[in-house]
């Protein structure tokens, strides 16, 4: 009862949540990412409020005060989010044509990149090929093609 995906290691059927409402977001969450290396979920609202949660129990990180950051300027809207697993950075693109990078563990702002008037619609461009599903598929098919070519008669 309450399990989203029976048998999944994250959703084991146990309902867990942050009971303290001061840790809840005031607005709707538009992005939710799983950061397996740190056993965290990262939630992002459209207004750019970012919070982290423990995957083990659903509690907010940073008690007694919530660990959260306002990732974008007022009146801006988040349009894309990605976790860059090699660098453990959270990339957040907004409608002010900027991408802001944050350390996942501390939520410390590290870098802002100006997209020169281009919409930061997809942040997969920052992923290494082995970090994205498409990159994995491409790498596997390239590896098979190389093995097939190498095993042929010369």
């Amino acid at each position: 009862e309450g399990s989203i995906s029976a048998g999944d290691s994250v959703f084991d059927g146990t309902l867990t949540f942050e009971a303290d409402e001061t840790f809840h977001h005031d607005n709707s969450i538009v992005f939710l990412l799983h950061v397996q290396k740190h056993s965290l979920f990262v939630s992002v609202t459209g207004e750019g409020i970012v919070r982290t949660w423990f995957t083990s129990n659903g509690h907010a990180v940073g008690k007694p005060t919530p660990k959260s950051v306002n990732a974008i300027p007022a009146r801006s809207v988040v349009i894309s989010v990605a976790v860059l697993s090699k660098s453990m950075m959270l990339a957040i693109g907004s409608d002010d044509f900027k991408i802001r990078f944050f350390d996942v563990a501390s939520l410390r702002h590290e870098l802002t990149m100006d997209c020169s008037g281009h919409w930061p619609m997809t942040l997969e461009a920052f992923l290494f090929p082995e970090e994205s599903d498409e990159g994995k598929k491409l790498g596997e098919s390239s590896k098979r093609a190389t093995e097939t070519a190498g095993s042929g008669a010369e």
Side-chain angles (χ1 to χ4, degrees), residues 14-60:
T14 306
L15 265 179
T16 59
F17 63 94
E18 179 56 64
D20 186 348
E21 291 192 12
T22 60
F23 289 89
H24 295 191
H25 284 285
D26 292 331
N27 298 311
S28 297
I29 295 170
V30 292
F31 293 97
L32 183 66
L33 301 107
H34 180 214
V35 184
Q36 194 167 6
K37 183 176 180 178
H38 291 296
S39 299
L40 295 174
F41 285 119
V42 177
S43 58
V44 184
T45 67
E47 296 78 22
I49 303 298
V50 180
R51 291 208 174 132
T52 53
W53 313 84
F54 294 111
T55 57
S56 60
N57 59 16
H59 293 186

XYZ file of all heavy atoms in Angstrom, residues 14-60:
378
model
N 7.148 1.224 1.808
C 7.066 2.000 3.034
C 6.791 3.451 2.682
O 7.498 4.043 1.882
C 8.399 1.928 3.805
O 8.745 0.567 4.001
C 8.294 2.640 5.132
N 5.731 3.986 3.263
C 5.443 5.397 3.050
C 6.283 6.220 4.008
O 6.193 6.055 5.217
C 3.967 5.685 3.327
C 3.024 5.667 2.142
C 1.606 5.957 2.595
C 3.445 6.670 1.100
N 7.149 7.064 3.462
C 7.948 7.947 4.297
C 7.761 9.362 3.795
O 7.596 9.597 2.600
C 9.440 7.584 4.245
O 9.878 7.669 2.904
C 9.698 6.194 4.775
N 7.769 10.292 4.702
C 7.600 11.688 4.313
C 8.140 12.569 5.417
O 8.365 12.108 6.542
C 6.134 12.015 4.024
C 5.241 11.857 5.225
C 4.947 12.943 6.036
C 4.703 10.626 5.556
C 4.128 12.805 7.144
C 3.885 10.477 6.665
C 3.602 11.571 7.464
N 8.347 13.819 5.061
C 8.797 14.789 6.051
C 7.574 15.300 6.794
O 6.736 15.993 6.233
C 9.538 15.942 5.368
C 10.014 17.018 6.305
C 10.896 16.488 7.418
O 11.989 15.971 7.118
O 10.487 16.594 8.589
N 7.458 14.941 8.068
C 6.286 15.311 8.861
C 6.261 16.804 9.194
O 5.192 17.396 9.336
C 6.248 14.489 10.142
N 7.417 17.418 9.305
C 7.507 18.826 9.663
C 7.191 19.677 8.432
O 7.972 19.748 7.488
C 8.902 19.132 10.189
C 9.044 20.553 10.718
O 8.132 21.381 10.474
O 10.062 20.824 11.364
N 6.052 20.331 8.428
C 5.594 21.082 7.257
C 6.462 22.289 6.928
O 6.407 22.806 5.813
C 4.136 21.498 7.440
C 3.205 20.304 7.383
C 1.750 20.707 7.267
O 1.461 21.890 7.010
O 0.908 19.819 7.430
N 7.301 22.735 7.861
C 8.189 23.854 7.547
C 9.230 23.463 6.499
O 9.844 24.323 5.883
C 8.926 24.374 8.803
O 9.702 23.310 9.364
C 7.946 24.908 9.832
N 9.417 22.164 6.267
C 10.362 21.681 5.267
C 9.707 21.481 3.907
O 10.388 21.248 2.921
C 10.999 20.367 5.721
C 11.961 20.557 6.848
C 11.533 20.505 8.161
C 13.300 20.803 6.602
C 12.424 20.685 9.203
C 14.197 20.987 7.642
C 13.755 20.934 8.939
N 8.390 21.526 3.835
C 7.687 21.305 2.571
C 7.841 22.531 1.668
O 7.993 23.650 2.139
C 6.201 21.046 2.825
C 5.948 19.780 3.584
N 4.704 19.249 3.731
C 6.779 18.924 4.226
C 4.760 18.133 4.437
N 6.019 17.926 4.754
N 7.763 22.286 0.359
C 7.787 23.397 -0.593
C 6.452 24.136 -0.533
O 5.402 23.520 -0.337
C 7.975 22.868 -2.022
C 9.376 22.453 -2.330
N 10.390 23.358 -2.561
C 9.940 21.228 -2.464
C 11.504 22.709 -2.833
N 11.265 21.410 -2.771
N 6.487 25.444 -0.720
C 5.260 26.234 -0.753
C 4.541 26.089 -2.091
O 3.333 26.259 -2.174
C 5.557 27.720 -0.512
C 6.042 27.975 0.906
O 5.653 27.216 1.819
O 6.811 28.934 1.082
N 5.286 25.811 -3.155
C 4.722 25.694 -4.500
C 4.984 24.301 -5.057
O 5.697 23.500 -4.454
C 5.330 26.758 -5.422
C 4.999 28.154 -4.944
O 3.849 28.461 -4.661
N 6.014 28.996 -4.820
N 4.448 24.041 -6.222
C 4.573 22.723 -6.842
C 6.006 22.413 -7.242
O 6.743 23.281 -7.707
C 3.704 22.641 -8.104
O 2.359 22.799 -7.772
N 6.367 21.154 -7.079
C 7.671 20.669 -7.533
C 7.543 20.346 -9.018
O 6.630 19.633 -9.424
C 8.083 19.416 -6.742
C 8.290 19.779 -5.272
C 9.327 18.776 -7.336
C 8.470 18.589 -4.360
N 8.456 20.885 -9.833
C 8.406 20.624 -11.272
C 9.506 19.670 -11.722
O 9.397 19.074 -12.801
C 8.451 21.928 -12.102
C 7.188 22.732 -11.903
C 9.668 22.765 -11.771
N 10.560 19.514 -10.927
C 11.621 18.558 -11.235
C 11.992 17.817 -9.958
O 12.123 18.421 -8.898
C 12.880 19.260 -11.762
C 12.697 19.906 -13.102
C 12.414 21.252 -13.198
C 12.811 19.164 -14.274
C 12.240 21.860 -14.426
C 12.645 19.763 -15.507
C 12.356 21.116 -15.591
N 12.167 16.500 -10.085
C 12.628 15.673 -8.974
C 13.689 14.744 -9.534
O 13.430 14.002 -10.483
C 11.475 14.869 -8.365
C 11.829 14.015 -7.159
C 12.225 14.894 -5.974
C 10.661 13.130 -6.763
N 14.884 14.816 -8.985
C 16.001 14.022 -9.488
C 16.557 13.140 -8.386
O 16.578 13.535 -7.218
C 17.115 14.943 -10.001
C 16.693 15.868 -11.118
C 16.585 17.281 -10.610
C 17.668 15.797 -12.241
N 17.030 11.963 -8.765
C 17.637 11.030 -7.828
C 19.151 11.108 -8.007
O 19.666 10.912 -9.104
C 17.142 9.609 -8.105
C 17.711 8.586 -7.178
N 17.988 7.315 -7.570
C 18.053 8.649 -5.873
C 18.468 6.624 -6.557
N 18.515 7.415 -5.513
N 19.859 11.409 -6.923
C 21.319 11.459 -6.941
C 21.804 10.254 -6.153
O 21.954 10.304 -4.935
C 21.852 12.779 -6.326
C 23.364 12.845 -6.446
C 21.201 13.975 -6.976
N 22.017 9.172 -6.877
C 22.325 7.890 -6.246
C 23.619 7.933 -5.438
O 23.693 7.381 -4.345
C 22.403 6.809 -7.318
C 22.373 5.420 -6.759
C 22.140 4.393 -7.855
O 22.104 4.709 -9.033
N 21.969 3.163 -7.453
N 24.631 8.615 -5.931
C 25.936 8.659 -5.256
C 25.829 9.220 -3.838
O 26.544 8.806 -2.937
C 26.913 9.486 -6.083
C 28.312 9.528 -5.503
C 29.261 10.268 -6.413
C 30.654 10.298 -5.831
N 31.597 10.966 -6.724
N 24.932 10.175 -3.625
C 24.767 10.789 -2.307
C 23.499 10.322 -1.588
O 23.172 10.846 -0.523
C 24.739 12.318 -2.427
C 26.048 12.909 -2.820
N 27.175 12.832 -2.032
C 26.421 13.587 -3.929
C 28.181 13.435 -2.630
N 27.752 13.901 -3.791
N 22.764 9.371 -2.178
C 21.504 8.879 -1.607
C 20.548 10.026 -1.300
O 19.998 10.145 -0.207
C 21.751 8.054 -0.346
O 22.546 6.939 -0.652
N 20.368 10.890 -2.308
C 19.507 12.057 -2.158
C 18.499 12.154 -3.294
O 18.749 11.678 -4.400
C 20.345 13.346 -2.194
C 21.344 13.608 -1.093
C 22.158 14.853 -1.425
C 20.646 13.772 0.243
N 17.394 12.797 -2.990
C 16.501 13.325 -4.008
C 16.707 14.834 -4.004
O 16.926 15.434 -2.948
C 15.020 13.056 -3.694
C 14.599 11.636 -3.931
C 14.114 10.868 -2.889
C 14.663 11.069 -5.194
C 13.712 9.570 -3.091
C 14.270 9.770 -5.412
C 13.787 9.012 -4.362
N 16.641 15.444 -5.167
C 16.702 16.895 -5.287
C 15.367 17.335 -5.871
O 14.962 16.845 -6.926
C 17.854 17.343 -6.213
C 17.841 18.847 -6.387
C 19.189 16.880 -5.670
N 14.677 18.229 -5.180
C 13.405 18.753 -5.685
C 13.595 20.214 -6.066
O 14.306 20.955 -5.390
C 12.298 18.606 -4.631
O 12.650 19.276 -3.439
N 12.971 20.596 -7.196
C 13.094 21.958 -7.705
C 11.703 22.468 -8.071
O 10.971 21.803 -8.812
C 14.005 22.018 -8.955
C 14.207 23.456 -9.410
C 15.340 21.344 -8.688
N 11.331 23.632 -7.564
C 10.057 24.239 -7.938
C 10.268 25.107 -9.181
O 11.409 25.431 -9.529
C 9.488 25.121 -6.806
O 10.337 26.257 -6.631
C 9.345 24.343 -5.500
N 9.188 25.501 -9.820
C 9.276 26.368 -10.987
C 9.911 27.703 -10.674
O 10.524 28.335 -11.537
N 9.784 28.135 -9.424
C 10.358 29.412 -8.992
C 11.832 29.284 -8.625
O 12.473 30.261 -8.252
C 9.586 29.970 -7.795
C 8.143 30.309 -8.106
C 7.243 29.069 -8.151
O 7.598 28.031 -7.556
O 6.191 29.143 -8.798
N 12.378 28.063 -8.668
C 13.794 27.867 -8.424
C 14.195 27.514 -7.009
O 15.372 27.564 -6.680
N 13.251 27.139 -6.155
C 13.605 26.710 -4.802
C 14.062 25.251 -4.889
O 13.334 24.387 -5.355
C 12.413 26.826 -3.827
C 11.878 28.259 -3.784
C 12.815 26.332 -2.431
C 12.873 29.285 -3.295
N 15.293 25.009 -4.449
C 15.891 23.680 -4.513
C 16.056 23.155 -3.093
O 16.559 23.871 -2.221
C 17.275 23.734 -5.202
C 17.896 22.343 -5.274
C 17.174 24.357 -6.580
N 15.623 21.918 -2.874
C 15.800 21.260 -1.578
C 16.286 19.842 -1.813
O 16.041 19.259 -2.859
C 14.490 21.219 -0.791
C 14.071 22.589 -0.329
C 13.244 22.549 0.927
N 13.007 23.908 1.359
C 11.825 24.375 1.695
N 10.779 23.600 1.700
N 11.699 25.625 2.080
N 16.961 19.298 -0.810
C 17.431 17.917 -0.885
C 16.769 17.090 0.213
O 16.434 17.598 1.285
C 18.966 17.849 -0.756
O 19.373 18.549 0.421
C 19.635 18.470 -1.968
N 16.597 15.786 -0.104
C 15.881 14.856 0.766
C 16.648 13.538 0.796
O 17.187 13.111 -0.218
C 14.476 14.604 0.224
C 13.760 15.855 -0.152
C 13.861 16.543 -1.340
C 12.857 16.596 0.646
N 13.068 17.661 -1.307
C 12.430 17.722 -0.107
C 12.350 16.419 1.937
C 11.536 18.649 0.394
C 11.450 17.351 2.423
C 11.054 18.455 1.651
N 16.684 12.888 1.953
C 17.318 11.580 2.052
C 16.433 10.530 1.395
O 15.231 10.469 1.663
C 17.552 11.199 3.524
C 18.540 12.085 4.222
C 18.128 12.956 5.218
C 19.882 12.049 3.879
C 19.037 13.779 5.870
C 20.800 12.870 4.525
C 20.376 13.733 5.516
N 17.029 9.672 0.555
C 16.240 8.624 -0.089
C 15.845 7.533 0.900
O 14.840 6.858 0.711
C 17.011 7.966 -1.255
O 18.247 7.445 -0.766
C 17.269 8.952 -2.369
N 16.610 7.370 1.967
C 16.351 6.292 2.913
C 15.074 6.485 3.717
O 14.385 5.517 4.039
C 17.532 6.126 3.867
O 17.741 7.326 4.585
N 14.747 7.739 4.054
C 13.584 7.947 4.923
C 12.668 9.086 4.478
O 11.657 9.340 5.116
C 14.037 8.184 6.366
C 14.945 9.383 6.509
O 15.032 10.235 5.626
N 15.641 9.454 7.631
N 13.025 9.807 3.416
C 12.176 10.883 2.928
C 12.300 12.180 3.702
O 11.609 13.146 3.407
N 13.177 12.228 4.690
C 13.329 13.446 5.493
C 14.187 14.472 4.776
O 15.099 14.134 4.032
C 13.941 13.115 6.849
C 13.039 12.296 7.710
N 13.334 11.996 9.011
C 11.838 11.714 7.468
C 12.362 11.269 9.533
N 11.452 11.078 8.609
N 13.910 15.721 5.050
C 14.669 16.816 4.456
C 16.086 16.845 5.019
O 16.307 16.518 6.176
C 13.979 18.142 4.737
